[in-house]
Amino acid sequence: MAEWWSYRPEDMLLFSPRVYWRMFELHNAAVWPLHLLTVTAGLGAVLLALGRAHGTARWVAFILAILWVFVGWSFLWLRYSTINWAIDYLAPLFLLQAGLLVIAGILPHALVFDRRHGVAGWNGLAMAITALFLYPLLALAFNWRQAEVFGIAPDPTAIGTLGLLLMTRGAFRLVLLPIPALWCLVSGLTLWTMEEPTAWLPIAAVIVTLATYMLPTGRKS
Amino acid sequence: MPIARRSVLEGMLAAAASSFVPLPGRAQEATILTRPIPASGEVIPVIGLGSWITFNVGNDPVLMDECASVMAAFFTAGGRLIDCSPMYGSSQTAIGYGLAKLGMPKPLFSAEKVWTSGPDGPGQIERSRQFWGVPRFDLVQVHNLIDWQENLKTLMDMKSAGTLRYVGITTSEERRHDLLEEIMRTQPIDFVQLTYNVVDREPEQRLLPLAGDRGIAVIVNRPFQQGALTRRLRNESLPSWAAEIGVSTWAQFILKHIISHPAVTVAIPATTSVDHVRENLDAGRGVQMDAGMRARMASYVQDL
């Protein structure tokens, strides 16, 4: 397709909010009870990050890599792409992110947990908790069947990944931040165009990530 | 089979305003009004069915059946033209599902679009045809002027070969009306699709009169501004004279204003509601407005 410039954000919204949220409902029903496994994995990753033991960051990277492959394939490729052709271009980025996470897990010292309790660590922890617990709780206010769950749906997976990465140090972290941040921007814009009240969450995650990274101590590796 | 458009064109527009032809709809109701396609004289009902957003339901079986129900109500109420595009996600699949479920209704007037750059136009049109499950499309339009020279040539070739009945071009953006006007002036197109409603009235200045002069059928998209217009008017009162013009809802008010323009052939509101599709089709029945009443309608909305 050419002439991208001729489209406005509202032109790119191809589906109704009802179809969008029913997509989560159908997906949750299809993959249940994997939610228990993915949330447990996410919780384990957060506990590893809090423990800050030497060498454990690689296991967090491997856990996240598996979840990015699963979300990219099962949700984006098999489900979301049926109502949004742009996902055909974004789903491969989830596979790329998984590959980068695996590389980060393999390379020595590519990713290590920050041993200090700094602003970055606290911001990262807050984002991870938001992804793991706030997202499912939000669904209670609307329709619990349509809950976005970490490791199942892309938004909490991307936000949780950003949070966990903020709790680490290492030069490779800069390579791992762009794709989840890009997804958060795309999703936030989609939700904003749909006039959804939760649109600010993924956008706020990007702002917090950027602000944290720009802190004087945020970029130290 | 090519249509000798110019041979039937002369005088058609002048008669358009008074050429409403009734088409049977629900037996107990007034017949829906029709307008002729200038290129051929074939008549189609003045209300069609759009599919932008509303039919993009993915592989949700419940919503696929809802789309089929909307289509069933549309055909039962006397509708014919259904419009879609490869850009509309899974809408083509939903339409194909509905048509198959309804046994491929004979009144169908299939209106598709080609939405690609480069040489893939014929391939994309063939894929669209397979989604619909029709032997050929009645109308294919160049979507939003994309690669319009290459795509228009493809469509003209298909029309010459007899694999397409009508050729058209579309835009939903006012800022591209200059190019649209140039194409309407220079290319032998059968249909043009544009946005026009009681608040977006710029086409009244040049494009609608030009369509009349050139014998080009007009499809009006986004009659409700994707729902924004009806949401805006939802809490406003209809004018006291609404009943005199056979209008009981804002949707009917908006649609009657559009289809009463003598250059308009068909408006294509999109909906997910069976009740709304019936309400929309009802706007195509009964009395239509003259220029004075249409100006009064526009003025009323402008003053709200």
Side-chain angles (χ1 to χ4, degrees):
Chain A
M1 206 233 358
E3 287 92 351
W4 287 92
W5 52 267
S6 68
Y7 292 90
R8 300 161 294 186
E10 55 267 37
D11 292 326
M12 305 305 283
L13 186 65
L14 307 173
F15 43 83
S16 66
R18 183 186 179 212
V19 170
Y20 180 79
W21 293 116
R22 270 189 61 83
M23 181 175 62
F24 289 95
E25 185 173 343
L26 292 176
H27 189 61
N28 284 336
V31 301
W32 175 260
L34 281 178
H35 305 67
L36 303 176
L37 192 61
T38 59
V39 171
T40 302
L43 194 57
V46 170
L47 292 175
L48 285 174
L50 287 173
R52 299 191 293 275
H54 178 72
T56 53
R58 72 177 51 203
W59 296 110
V60 173
F62 291 148
I63 288 169
L64 290 175
I66 292 168
L67 296 179
W68 275 79
V69 168
F70 178 68
V71 172
W73 170 73
S74 68
F75 186 84
L76 269 69
W77 190 256
L78 295 183
R79 203 168 288 276
Y80 198 3
S81 67
T82 64
I83 62 167
N84 187 352
W85 45 261
I87 297 302
D88 289 350
Y89 303 95
L90 291 170
L93 293 181
F94 274 57
L95 193 61
L96 175 61
Q97 178 72 9
L100 294 172
L101 283 162
V102 169
I103 292 170
I106 292 172
L107 291 178
H109 311 300
L111 212 58
V112 292
F113 287 123
D114 195 337
R115 289 192 167 275
R116 298 161 304 172
H117 287 287
V119 174
W122 288 114
N123 285 351
L125 181 61
M127 286 170 61
I129 288 173
T130 297
L132 277 167
F133 302 113
L134 181 61
Y135 259 89
L137 287 175
L138 276 175
L140 295 177
F142 303 102
N143 182 344
W144 64 270
R145 290 186 177 87
Q146 298 170 351
E148 295 174 84
V149 176
F150 179 83
I152 301 291
D155 286 17
T157 305
I159 292 172
T161 300
L162 289 175
L164 285 163
L165 290 174
L166 284 183
M167 298 170 80
T168 66
R169 303 170 71 190
F172 210 78
R173 186 176 65 162
L174 185 60
V175 179
L176 297 173
L177 288 174
I179 291 176
L182 173 67
W183 175 262
C184 286
L185 287 176
V186 169
S187 189
L189 185 62
T190 302
L191 293 167
W192 174 76
T193 309
M194 290 196 297
E195 299 178 358
E196 292 292 328
T198 53
W200 62 273
L201 262 171
I203 294 172
V206 175
I207 293 171
V208 169
T209 301
L210 277 176
T212 304
Y213 191 75
M214 297 305 286
L215 287 173
T217 55
R219 278 169 289 177
K220 284 184 180 174
S221 58
Chain B
M1 178 178 60
I3 299 163
R5 66 196 303 277
R6 298 301 167 197
S7 66
V8 295
L9 174 61
E10 212 169 297
M12 192 159 282
L13 181 78
S18 57
S19 66
F20 289 120
V21 181
L23 193 75
R26 282 175 287 180
Q28 72 278 20
E29 296 178 343
T31 51
I32 187 166
L33 302 170
T34 62
R35 280 267 170 82
I37 300 167
S40 65
E42 176 184 3
V43 295
I44 52 174
V46 291
I47 302 294
L49 182 64
S51 57
W52 169 239
I53 292 181
T54 52
F55 274 43
N56 184 16
V57 295
N59 44 21
D60 188 323
V62 173
L63 300 186
M64 294 267 279
D65 279 331
E66 286 187 10
C67 290
S69 297
V70 166
M71 292 168 68
F74 174 72
F75 287 119
T76 302
R80 285 192 62 197
L81 186 147
I82 296 180
D83 179 82
C84 195
S85 168
M87 188 202 178
Y88 300 174
S90 61
S91 296
Q92 294 174 317
T93 309
I95 289 172
Y97 173 82
L99 289 175
K101 188 174 180 179
L102 300 176
M104 200 57 69
K106 283 192 169 55
L108 171 68
F109 188 101
S110 52
E112 251 297 344
K113 304 189 187 77
V114 56
W115 175 67
T116 185
S117 296
D120 188 41
Q124 187 183 70
I125 294 166
E126 174 56 20
R127 288 191 294 277
S128 298
R129 189 195 66 75
Q130 290 175 11
F131 282 129
W132 281 62
V134 295
R136 67 172 178 176
F137 285 119
D138 293 300
L139 165 65
V140 177
Q141 307 146 93
V142 179
H143 185 123
N144 210 19
L145 308 174
I146 286 177
D147 202 3
W148 69 268
Q149 285 154 314
E150 174 73 18
N151 283 325
L152 210 50
K153 181 179 180 306
T154 297
L155 300 184
M156 293 298 180
D157 289 345
M158 288 179 66
K159 185 179 171 183
S160 297
T163 55
L164 177 64
R165 297 178 64 215
Y166 301 104
V167 169
I169 196 156
T170 82
T171 187
S172 52
E173 299 166 10
E174 189 176 314
R175 62 194 170 86
R176 307 194 79 184
H177 281 181
D178 285 345
L179 177 56
L180 188 67
E181 181 180 357
E182 180 193 332
I183 295 168
M184 290 171 68
R185 287 190 186 282
T186 58
Q187 303 298 319
I189 56 175
D190 305 310
F191 277 81
V192 65
Q193 185 179 139
L194 46 78
T195 301
Y196 169 59
N197 56 56
V198 72
V199 292
D200 298 317
R201 296 175 59 208
E202 193 267 352
E204 289 177 353
Q205 303 305 311
R206 292 176 299 150
L207 297 181
L208 291 177
L210 178 62
D213 292 341
R214 294 277 297 163
I216 300 170
V218 176
I219 298 175
V220 172
N221 60 33
R222 304 190 182 191
F224 306 137
Q225 293 183 321
Q226 290 186 252
L229 183 55
T230 41
R231 282 195 297 274
R232 179 188 138 197
L233 296 172
R234 187 167 42 201
N235 297 322
E236 303 287 353
S237 298
L238 282 164
S240 57
W241 37 269
E244 298 168 27
I245 57 173
V247 161
S248 58
T249 67
W250 275 114
Q252 290 180 343
F253 183 98
I254 294 163
L255 288 174
K256 266 198 188 292
H257 175 268
I258 293 169
I259 62 176
S260 293
H261 193 290
V264 170
T265 309
V266 53
I268 50 169
T271 179
T272 58
S273 158
V274 166
D275 289 340
H276 286 170
V277 82
R278 288 177 181 145
E279 178 187 325
N280 292 341
L281 266 294
D282 283 345
R285 306 179 206 281
V287 64
Q288 300 302 304
M289 313 303 121
D290 60 18
M293 179 56 80
R294 291 177 53 255
R296 188 181 181 190
M297 295 168 86
S299 175
Y300 182 84
V301 172
Q302 192 175 353
D303 292 342
L304 287 174

